[in-house]
């Protein structure tokens, strides 16, 4: 196996036994990027800063374009942040650097994380390494594609409604959204503050545990960061699910779900049953309303979070040639109209509408209340179950351009992933098969708050008893 | 599917062009006339979709603004170093006299 | 008697004097070079998050308690969304429906009457930056130093009934807040700002008339003048058969007139919603009790106590209480020299004059209670006269010296011993035989002339009382 194909833990073994060096591994991945990224287009730009290779975990890592990294241009794949060079490191970047992480570069995403396909990026789309005609998923499309294509040993992404898990599923890798508050949001360019979390995208479950060890933990600069001790997540990697209870929501397996996806997930379920897990049918009666709830609450918060991109202090500024209303208002409007893509504008306007005078109660407040109902459903199920399983996405990766002109149909690809964000609970996507087309299928496990260990344990057991994670795309 | 069909019997509260103009102005986004129709239609479809939430009884339900119950997070009143003026303005689009420069604001 | 009744409500924004800003750890300092007290958080850089300064909340509770308000046991912060170049995040973190304090009051003395002014609420929020307009260069400059300064906004019920009452309220509020030590309450530095809402209605009517909002008043006097102008304007409009338009007006002090603000947003749709980056806060009764236990004696209570405990006049008590430094200085002086009336006289008289001349507060003056009381003692003992004592005070302040040193160096000690005085007296008697005769022949008041002469001869340093006594003795042959 070539260096770039290794998992992080395999590389660590080699490093321990001095069979390679951090610099060699880093160079190998850079070579791989050079070779395949012209096709995959996962990277926006490579880092021009030479990593310090002396740390404990010098793993070549890709960083999503919404994580502030000092001295790097960080743009959220938007024209409006063109030229913004971050003067500070996000909390997780500090942790990655402290652990010795070797930053390869900044990877592509949907503009401001608004999307499920990586097609709204101002840099153009990233392509799925398994089929370059297809999307890698979004919004952490670049993170997922880079890991799947061995263009990074692992990557950081962010997840607001499924943006780590869905691309992980489309690209046949592991993606985890931690419990809300588990990982510091300081330095994550916010989309929806009450839903966002940063998380790992990795080649296998062990790597996921390792990266979680690095990035988790309290940050006093983030008021929503939880001050709870971080366990050693690798201790959860136990090949044993006997007696563990897996809940299957009856609302999940209904007509409209891609039959191949359904079959893969059912087979996974059977395997876990064989391995000793107890399967229970459960109900999450309010989850059909999750997408609607999300598109009110998340866009409302986003509309406020994105207000700061106004051309005054940083980023893009555009002034029309002739005065329309007055120079200042013109600057605001022209900057934001030229700087934001259509999907960003849509979401900002939708969010503004949901908060506007006369509509707050009907939309935003109501949305937050339905959120409670959804959370209560999940809490109720977790009284009797250790995890809840669903497909990660109702389909496999779709073709580039297929859904982009119908935003609503794009939003519906998040139906399984959204509830975990609304409830703040952790959720993981792991590969569970392939469609006939060769595109990967992912299954999702949701767990109780701060019980990432349960997710890792069941995922690890499943992985140890299957081969999906060792398959690689033909690039 | 894991979601209800769009129910036509729900009060079809769609969004009007005037609404879109109002909201766009609040958000400081200029929507040119030729794009207004398109935006209104798309937004209208989404607004109509989220209307289904009106079906639910949320009378005695408390809103969730924070998924994980954390409260009383404070910072000690201790000064930490600020950025230098140079660092602060390094990101500036336009700067003058140590400040961020913008077009003349008329009050 | 006006056919109209004036109704005024005031909104005061006060900068809290915490060490750091409300949501970040930048220094909370006035007067620094532009954009030197800023960090990614208060600059509103992407990815940054607010964390509440504990001291700011405690100050907020302190203010609420001093205003006799109810402290909410559950509070939260909300985003007020609008665009202006001095607002980096394009929203202000403020409090909408769960402020720190509500339903309070402040007692004011307007004329002879004491009146209760209702305080609707007091809430915490962050300040915006400063915008400087450069007309010649056709640009505006944004200084973010002030962004994130902790503010408390205090809103009154529409209980004020005249511009004078508004003025009195502001002075009382300022004094109360200065006593708390939570702000320097300086309108010139901008640490205290005031907006006013004013309307008029026919006397006897209970519903409110249309109100206008006044901004840009830079002193308490300006608030009073602006309100007087605006009340008159409302009256004129109504008497002419028109309707007062609800609008926001800027006060122009130079022109002594209000001007309409160019319409910003038609109606301000601030789209308030709970800030998801901040958590909710519960304030339990123990915290409130702890803050209450630490409240200093407030001006009204101190005033009453000075009257009863020290038998001071209302005039003196008012002057002492009007500045917390002055009141503290007074009581510290009493510890060294327990003569309340005398100390009060000196503080309300010569010391106050020095403060006014030097434009300083007593804290800024290099004068200790020991310094002052030692001077007072010397005057009382007759070492220097009252008049000379005032000169000594000036010199003490000018030269940073003790009373003793000044008196010694300038040779200001009154001459009071008999033998030295007799030397002068004898000279004067010899030189003024006619006057001596007048005294002897039944015009005792003529002694004043001799005293004057003796004073002149002594260079003003003779003790006049002593002179009078000794001259009389000499003349009567003692």
């Amino acid at each position: 196996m070539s260096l770039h194909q290794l998992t992080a833990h395999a590389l660590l073994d080699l490093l321990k036994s001095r069979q390679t060096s951090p610099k060699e591994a880093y160079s190998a991945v850079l070579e791989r990027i050079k070779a395949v990224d012209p096709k995959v287009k996962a990277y926006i730009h490579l880092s021009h800063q030479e990593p310090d290779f002396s740390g404990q975990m010098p793993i070549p890592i890709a960083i999503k374009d919404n994580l502030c990294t000092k001295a790097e241009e960080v743009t959220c794949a938007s024209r409006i942040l063109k030229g913004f060079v971050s003067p500070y490191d996000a909390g997780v970047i500090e942790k990655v650097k402290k652990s010795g992480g070797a930053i390869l570069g900044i990877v592509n995403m949907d503009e401001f994380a608004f999307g499920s396909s990586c097609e709204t990026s101002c840099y153009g789309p990233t392509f799925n390494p398994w089929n370059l005609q297809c999307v890698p998923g979004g919004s952490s499309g670049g993170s997922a594609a880079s890991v799947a294509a061995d263009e990074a040993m692992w990557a950081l992404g962010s997840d607001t409604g499924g943006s780590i898990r869905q691309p992980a599923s489309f690209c046949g890798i592991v993606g985890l959204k931690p419990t809300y508050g588990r990982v510091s949001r300081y330095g994550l360019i916010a989309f929806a503050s009450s839903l966002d979390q940063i998380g790992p995208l990795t080649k296998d479950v062990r790597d996921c545990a390792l990266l979680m060890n690095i990035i988790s933990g309290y940050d006093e600069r983030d008021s929503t960061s939880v001050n709870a001790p971080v366990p050693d997540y690798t201790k959860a990697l136990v090949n044993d699910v006997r007696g563990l209870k897996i809940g299957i929501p009856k609302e999940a397996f209904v007509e409209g779900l891609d039959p191949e996806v359904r079959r893969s997930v059912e087979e996974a379920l059977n395997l876990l049953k064989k391995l000793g897990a107890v399967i229970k049918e459960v109900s999450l009666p309010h989850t059909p309303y999750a997408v609607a709830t999300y598109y009110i609450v998340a866009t409302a918060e986003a509309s406020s979070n994105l207000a700061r991109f106004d051309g005054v202090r940083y980023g893009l500024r555009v002034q029309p040639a002739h005065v329309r209303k007055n120079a200042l208002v013109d600057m605001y409007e022209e900057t934001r109209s030229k700087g934001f893509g259509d999907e960003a504008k849509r979401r900002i306007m939708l969010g503004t509408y949901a908060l506007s005078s006369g509509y707050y109660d009907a939309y935003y407040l109501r949305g937050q209340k339905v959120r409670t109902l959804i959370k209560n459903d999940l809490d109720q199920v977790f009284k009797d179950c250790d995890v809840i399983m669903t497909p990660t996405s109702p389909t496999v990766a779709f073709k580039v351009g297929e859904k982009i002109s119908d935003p609503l149909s794009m939003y519906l690809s998040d139906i399984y992933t959204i509830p975990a964000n609304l409830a703040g609970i952790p959720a993981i996507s792991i590969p569970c098969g392939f469609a006939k087309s060769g595109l990967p299928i992912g299954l999702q496990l949701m767990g109780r708050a701060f019980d990432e260990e349960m997710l890792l344990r069941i995922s690890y057991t499943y992985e140890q008893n299957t081969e999906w994670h060792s398959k690689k795309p033909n690039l | 599917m894991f979601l209800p069909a769009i129910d036509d019997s729900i009060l079809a509260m769609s969004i009007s062009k005037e609404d879109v103009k109002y909201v766009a102005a609040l958000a400081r986004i200029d929507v040119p006339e030729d794009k207004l129709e398109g935006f209104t239609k798309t937004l209208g479809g989404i607004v109509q979709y989220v209307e289904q939430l009106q079906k639910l009884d949320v009378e005695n339900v408390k809103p969730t603004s924070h998924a994980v119950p954390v409260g009383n997070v404070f910072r000690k009143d201790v000064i930490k170093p600020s950025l230098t003026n140079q660092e602060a303005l390094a990101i500036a689009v336009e700067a003058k006299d140590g400040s961020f420069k913008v077009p003349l604001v008329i009050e | 008697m006006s056919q109209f009744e004036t109704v005024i409500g005031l909104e005061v924004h006060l900068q809290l004097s915490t060490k750091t800003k409300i949501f970040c750890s930048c220094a909370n300092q006035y007067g620094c070079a532009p954009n030197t007290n800023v960090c990614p958080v208060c600059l509103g850089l992407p990815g940054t998050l607010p964390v509440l300064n504990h001291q700011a909340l405690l100050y907020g509770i302190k203010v609420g308690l001093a205003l006799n308000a109810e402290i909410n046991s559950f509070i939260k912060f909300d985003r007020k969304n609008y665009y202006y170049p001095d607002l980096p995040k394009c929203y202000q973190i403020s409090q909408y429906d769960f402020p720190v304090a509500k339903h309070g009051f402040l007692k004011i003395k307007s004329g002879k009457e004491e009146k209760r002014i209702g305080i609707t609420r007091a809430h915490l929020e962050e300040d915006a930056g400063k915008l400087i307009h450069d007309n010649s260069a056709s640009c505006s400059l944004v200084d973010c130093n002030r962004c994130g300064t902790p503010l408390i906004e205090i809103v009154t019920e529409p209980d004020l009934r005249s511009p004078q009452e508004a003025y009195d309220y502001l002075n009382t509020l300022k004094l109360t807040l200065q006593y708390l030590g939570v702000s320097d309450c300086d309108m010139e530095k901008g640490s205290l700002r005031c907006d006013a809402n004013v309307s008029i209605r026919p006397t006897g009517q209970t519903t409110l008339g249309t109100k206008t909002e006044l901004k840009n008043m830079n002193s308490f006097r300006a608030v009073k003048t602006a309100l007087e102008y605006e009340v008159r304007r409302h009256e004129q409009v109504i008497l002419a058969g028109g309707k007062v338009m609800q609008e926001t007006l800027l006060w122009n002090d130079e022109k002594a007139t209000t001007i309409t603000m160019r319409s910003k947003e038609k109606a301000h749709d601030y789209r308030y919603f709970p800030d998801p980056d901040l958590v909710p806060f519960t304030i339990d009764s123990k915290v409130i009790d702890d803050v209450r236990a630490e409240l200093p004696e407030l001006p009204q209570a101190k005033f009453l106590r000075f009257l009863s405990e020290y038998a001071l006049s209302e005039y003196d008590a008012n002057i002492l209480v009007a500045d917390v430094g002055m009141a503290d200085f007074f009581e510290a002086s009493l510890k060294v020299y327990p003569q309340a009336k005398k100390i009060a006289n000196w503080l309300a008289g010569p010391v106050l004059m020095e403060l006014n001349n030097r434009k300083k507060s007593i804290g800024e003056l290099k004068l200790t209670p020991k310094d002052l009381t030692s001077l007072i003692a010397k005057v009382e003992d007759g070492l220097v006269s009252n008049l000379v004592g005032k000169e000594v005070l000036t010199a003490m302040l000018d030269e940073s010296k003790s009373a003793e040193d000044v008196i010694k160096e300038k040779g200001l000690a009154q001459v009071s011993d008999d033998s030295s005085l007799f030397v002068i007296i004898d000279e004067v008697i010899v030189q003024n035989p006619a006057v001596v005769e007048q005294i002897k022949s039944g015009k005792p008041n003529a002694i004043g002339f001799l005293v004057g002469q003796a004073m002149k001869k002594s260079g003003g340093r003779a003790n006049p009382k002593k002179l009078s006594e000794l001259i009389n003795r000499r003349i009567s042959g003692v």
Side-chain angles (χ1 to χ4, degrees):
Chain A
M1 214 187 219
S2 331
L3 273 179
H4 63 266
Q5 295 178 305
L6 293 174
T7 58
H9 62 87
L11 175 61
L12 287 171
D13 288 339
L14 287 188
L15 289 172
K16 211 169 179 181
S17 58
R18 310 274 168 116
Q19 288 176 65
T20 184
S21 74
K23 197 161 184 186
E24 220 186 313
Y26 187 77
S27 304
V29 180
L30 281 179
E31 280 305 305
R32 174 69 172 174
I33 294 171
K34 234 187 262 176
V36 304
D37 206 56
K39 290 188 276 188
V40 176
K41 295 205 181 343
Y43 280 86
I44 295 172
H45 64 89
L46 294 175
S47 174
H48 53 263
Q49 296 172 80
E50 174 85 350
D52 164 9
F53 290 110
S54 61
Q56 294 255 26
M57 311 272 281
I59 310 296
I61 184 171
I63 306 294
K64 187 174 179 180
D65 192 27
N66 61 359
L67 289 168
C68 287
T69 306
K70 197 169 180 179
E72 298 284 354
E73 192 185 21
V74 184
T75 67
C76 291
S78 177
R79 262 187 296 270
I80 211 165
L81 273 174
K82 261 321 233 155
F84 173 70
V85 175
S86 179
Y88 75 103
D89 275 330
V92 294
I93 300 297
E94 283 175 349
K95 283 180 183 283
V96 164
K97 284 183 178 175
K98 193 161 176 211
S99 72
I103 296 175
L104 293 157
I106 310 295
V107 286
N108 204 13
M109 55 185 280
D110 280 298
E111 185 186 11
F112 284 107
F114 298 148
S116 310
S117 64
C118 214
E119 290 175 284
T120 64
S121 163
C122 73
Y123 304 107
T126 296
F127 301 98
N128 193 317
W130 296 89
N131 179 337
L132 297 168
Q133 311 279 325
C134 293
V135 300
S139 61
S140 310
S143 309
S146 63
V147 172
D150 291 317
E151 292 184 69
M153 217 149 266
W154 59 24
L156 286 181
S158 70
D159 191 311
T160 307
S163 291
I164 285 176
R165 293 161 284 157
Q166 186 253 34
S169 156
F170 279 14
C171 291
I173 59 167
V174 176
L176 172 70
K177 180 200 86 67
T179 309
Y180 185 83
R182 174 81 286 182
V183 177
S184 167
R185 288 187 301 116
Y186 183 74
L188 168 65
I189 301 180
F191 161 178
S193 318
S194 74
L195 306 172
D196 293 345
Q197 269 292 281
I198 300 167
L201 290 102
T202 60
K203 297 182 190 183
D204 68 8
V205 178
R206 179 168 295 275
D207 276 4
C208 185
L210 285 170
L211 190 44
M212 275 297 285
N213 280 354
I214 294 173
I215 62 174
S216 302
Y218 176 62
D219 186 344
E220 62 178 16
R221 296 165 298 187
D222 174 2
S223 297
T224 60
S225 170
V226 173
N227 197 354
V230 181
D232 177 357
Y233 287 113
T234 60
K235 294 223 159 63
L237 303 174
V238 165
N239 185 353
D240 183 0
V241 295
R242 286 169 302 173
L244 295 181
K245 293 173 268 184
I246 304 178
I248 306 295
K250 65 175 194 239
E251 294 82 6
F253 291 95
V254 290
E255 193 191 312
L257 173 59
D258 184 313
E260 289 186 286
V261 172
R262 183 189 184 134
R263 190 163 38 244
S264 280
V265 176
E266 280 174 343
E267 279 169 14
L269 206 53
N270 289 335
L271 175 57
L272 286 165
K273 195 171 179 182
K274 229 185 270 171
L275 293 169
V278 176
I279 313 299
K280 301 176 125 220
E281 194 189 68
V282 299
S283 175
L284 298 170
H286 295 96
T287 39
Y289 299 96
V291 174
T293 305
Y294 174 77
Y295 278 97
I296 292 173
V297 171
T299 57
E301 293 180 10
S303 71
S304 177
N305 285 330
L306 267 64
R308 69 189 66 194
F309 303 114
D310 59 3
V312 170
R313 286 161 310 284
Y314 48 81
L316 180 73
R317 178 191 291 189
V318 189
Q319 195 80 45
H322 305 288
V323 173
R324 295 201 289 250
K325 296 176 184 173
N326 70 59
L328 182 69
V329 175
D330 290 351
M331 182 193 80
Y332 284 144
E333 291 189 348
E334 195 73 357
T335 299
R336 291 166 65 78
S337 306
K338 294 275 185 313
F340 288 130
D342 281 350
E343 183 59 27
K345 285 182 192 161
R346 257 193 291 275
R347 296 205 190 192
I348 290 170
M349 289 200 280
L350 189 60
T352 307
Y353 182 72
L355 291 174
S356 65
S357 174
Y359 292 115
Y360 176 84
D361 283 358
Y363 293 111
Y364 189 74
L365 186 59
R366 181 168 279 266
Q368 295 285 49
K369 290 183 174 188
V370 177
R371 188 174 171 183
T372 304
L373 296 177
I374 292 168
K375 184 171 193 302
N376 289 347
D377 284 356
L378 288 159
D379 288 343
Q380 192 59 29
V381 167
F382 281 123
K383 285 192 180 144
D384 293 316
C385 294
D386 297 307
V387 292
I388 298 170
M389 182 154 96
T390 70
T392 304
S393 170
T395 66
V396 293
F398 40 86
K399 286 216 157 50
V400 173
E402 188 180 312
K403 296 200 178 184
I404 195 68
S405 42
D406 184 2
L408 199 53
S409 86
M410 184 74 84
Y411 297 169
L412 299 177
S413 27
D414 297 333
I415 54 175
Y416 294 119
T417 48
I418 280 174
N421 298 88
L422 292 174
I425 57 176
I428 193 170
S429 176
I430 55 174
C432 69
F434 289 89
K436 275 199 212 69
S437 60
L439 286 164
I441 297 169
L443 72 84
Q444 175 185 238
L445 295 170
M446 296 186 271
R448 297 182 186 96
F450 296 99
D451 198 10
E452 282 82 353
E453 289 133 298
M454 182 63 68
L455 300 179
L456 291 167
R457 177 172 165 184
I458 298 178
S459 303
Y460 181 73
T461 303
Y462 177 77
E463 188 188 72
Q464 290 296 296
N465 288 279
T466 54
E467 291 294 322
W468 315 119
H469 59 286
S470 52
K471 297 225 175 343
K472 300 251 180 222
N474 272 333
L475 272 171
Chain B
M1 261 298 218
F2 204 42
L3 35 77
I6 295 173
D7 192 335
D8 289 330
S9 73
I10 300 166
L11 184 68
M13 257 201 80
S14 233
I15 190 169
S16 70
K17 274 197 207 163
E18 290 312 308
D19 289 329
V20 175
K21 277 198 196 155
Y22 175 74
V23 152
L26 274 184
R28 296 295 187 273
I29 291 174
D30 174 49
V31 180
E33 279 304 316
D34 60 341
K35 288 217 156 178
L36 190 58
E37 178 94 43
F39 266 110
T40 307
K41 205 161 166 217
T42 318
L43 283 174
I46 300 167
V47 169
Q48 200 167 18
Y49 175 73
V50 302
E51 278 306 310
Q52 60 181 285
L53 294 187
Q54 304 302 329
K55 284 202 289 194
L56 293 169
D57 175 14
V58 292
E59 177 88 37
N60 295 312
V61 182
K62 277 209 180 108
T64 297
S65 46
H66 292 87
V68 175
V70 185
N72 286 29
V73 176
F74 296 112
R75 187 174 50 78
K76 286 203 176 72
D77 194 20
V78 172
I79 299 173
K80 293 207 172 126
S82 295
L83 295 174
T84 62
N85 183 257
Q86 207 177 9
E87 287 168 328
L89 293 179
I91 54 167
V93 185
E94 278 190 66
K96 184 176 186 242
D97 301 340
S99 301
F100 297 93
K101 186 175 139 187
V102 295
L104 185 62
V105 177
I106 304 155
E107 299 211 322
Chain C
M1 164 81 176
S2 175
Q3 64 180 103
F4 293 109
E5 180 180 55
T6 301
V7 176
I8 296 169
L10 293 179
E11 281 169 21
V12 169
H13 284 90
L14 194 77
Q15 283 180 346
L16 297 174
S17 53
T18 52
K19 294 202 190 78
T20 60
K21 295 186 177 182
I22 191 171
F23 295 118
C24 70
S25 305
C26 287
N28 178 12
Q29 237 176 3
Y30 173 83
C32 301
N35 295 299
T36 51
N37 261 341
V38 293
C39 73
V41 178
C42 55
L43 281 176
L45 296 196
T48 53
L49 298 169
V51 185
L52 180 63
N53 180 343
H54 197 190
Q55 190 69 275
L57 178 59
L58 293 175
Y59 277 14
I61 297 172
K62 218 173 180 182
V63 171
L65 291 174
L67 295 176
N68 306 292
E70 226 179 282
I71 306 298
N72 267 325
S73 55
F74 169 84
I75 68 163
K76 68 178 186 21
F77 288 88
D78 304 283
R79 293 189 186 179
K80 180 180 182 182
N81 299 277
Y82 67 93
Y83 280 87
Y84 208 60
D86 65 0
L87 194 65
K89 297 186 294 296
C90 299
Y91 59 84
Q92 178 195 31
I93 301 178
S94 178
Q95 296 188 288
Y96 183 59
D97 48 353
F98 287 93
V100 173
K102 62 186 182 200
H103 304 327
F105 63 85
L106 186 67
K107 281 196 205 147
I108 66 167
K109 231 195 190 130
S110 207
K112 290 275 173 192
E113 286 175 27
E114 196 183 71
K115 193 173 166 177
R116 245 195 201 200
I117 305 300
I119 306 284
T120 316
R121 53 182 276 153
H123 73 257
L124 291 170
E125 59 185 23
E126 56 178 347
D127 207 349
K130 269 213 180 89
L131 207 52
I132 300 169
H133 307 300
D134 188 346
N135 277 293
S136 56
S138 206
C139 70
S140 296
L141 300 176
V142 185
D143 172 12
C144 296
N145 279 347
R146 205 178 62 177
C147 297
T149 300
L151 291 180
I152 189 159
E153 180 178 332
I154 301 167
V155 182
T156 70
E157 293 287 332
D159 286 348
L160 299 159
R161 289 287 171 273
S162 70
Q164 180 64 44
E165 267 184 26
Y167 182 80
D168 294 333
Y169 165 81
L170 287 170
N171 276 306
T172 310
L173 180 68
K174 172 176 171 171
L175 191 61
T176 307
L177 295 171
Q178 282 178 324
Y179 266 61
L180 290 180
V182 298
S183 171
D184 61 20
C185 304
D186 189 335
M187 265 187 122
E188 267 171 48
K189 286 201 190 134
S191 59
L192 193 157
R193 312 197 287 259
C194 177
D195 295 335
N197 288 307
V198 57
S199 64
I200 62 175
R201 62 188 173 191
T203 310
Q205 181 177 299
T206 47
T207 53
L208 293 169
T210 308
K211 68 173 182 203
T212 55
E213 188 185 3
L214 296 179
K215 286 180 177 285
N216 200 42
M217 299 158 294
N218 295 325
S219 66
F220 292 168
R221 183 203 52 77
V223 172
K224 181 162 171 239
T225 312
L227 284 168
E228 285 166 349
Y229 172 92
E230 189 62 5
V231 166
R232 269 198 308 275
R233 191 185 72 80
H234 281 216
E235 284 178 358
Q236 280 164 8
V237 166
I238 293 176
L239 289 173
K243 272 208 184 117
V244 172
M245 232 178 40
Q246 178 162 333
E247 55 181 337
T248 303
L249 300 159
L250 292 177
W251 174 247
N252 184 318
D253 213 29
E254 264 178 45
K255 299 195 180 140
T257 177
T258 55
I259 31 180
T260 316
M261 279 183 97
R262 271 191 193 227
S263 52
K264 289 154 101 173
E265 285 172 36
K266 292 249 157 94
H268 291 280
D269 191 346
Y270 291 121
R271 288 153 281 139
Y272 283 99
F273 73 101
D275 192 335
D277 288 329
L278 286 168
V279 295
F281 296 87
T282 44
I283 304 174
D284 73 42
S285 48
K286 180 166 188 311
V287 171
I288 299 174
D289 290 340
D290 286 346
V291 175
R292 190 181 277 117
E294 283 185 16
L295 283 179
E297 183 183 39
L298 293 177
Q300 282 141 344
K302 199 183 282 289
F303 175 79
L304 293 171
R305 183 169 65 80
F306 276 16
L307 289 181
S308 64
E309 201 173 317
Y310 305 120
L312 294 178
S313 67
E314 282 199 13
Y315 177 82
D316 283 347
N318 261 321
I319 294 189
L320 294 177
V321 167
D323 177 79
V324 63
M326 200 61 130
D328 289 346
F329 193 98
F330 170 69
E331 292 200 284
S333 302
L334 280 178
K335 288 207 175 86
V336 186
Y337 188 79
Q339 301 270 351
K341 190 74 189 119
K342 297 208 164 81
I343 296 177
N345 284 342
W346 271 86
L347 285 175
V351 175
L352 188 60
M353 198 168 73
E354 292 291 343
L355 293 176
N356 289 338
N357 289 344
R358 288 161 205 271
K359 294 205 195 318
K360 283 200 156 93
S361 70
I362 193 138
E364 293 167 329
L365 217 58
K366 281 202 172 69
L367 185 75
T368 67
K370 218 170 172 193
D371 292 336
L372 180 66
T373 52
S374 114
L375 172 61
I376 297 173
K378 289 185 179 14
V379 169
E380 290 305 311
D381 291 346
L383 185 61
V384 289
S385 66
N386 217 341
L387 193 59
V388 172
K390 292 180 189 172
E391 286 173 34
V392 173
L393 178 64
T394 308
M396 282 165 73
L397 296 172
D398 284 340
E399 297 164 37
S400 297
K401 293 205 168 109
S402 70
E404 199 168 316
D405 288 344
V406 167
I407 290 170
K408 212 180 255 170
E409 285 170 26
K410 294 192 191 294
L412 293 172
Q414 265 186 162
V415 180
S416 297
D417 69 289
D418 294 9
S419 45
S420 316
L421 287 179
F422 273 132
V423 169
I424 299 171
I425 287 169
D426 290 341
E427 271 184 41
V428 165
I429 285 176
V430 159
Q431 287 167 1
N432 296 280
V435 182
V436 174
E437 275 309 308
Q438 278 188 314
I439 295 166
K440 277 189 180 159
S441 57
K443 279 210 179 131
N445 293 339
I447 199 171
F449 178 78
L450 293 180
V451 171
Q453 288 299 301
M455 279 296 273
K456 239 193 243 167
K457 271 206 195 284
S458 74
R461 289 177 50 223
N463 184 333
K465 256 204 225 115
K466 262 291 181 162
L467 277 178
S468 200
E469 184 198 318
L470 293 179
I471 291 173
N472 266 319
R473 274 167 61 183
R474 239 330 169 250
I475 292 177
S476 14
V478 177

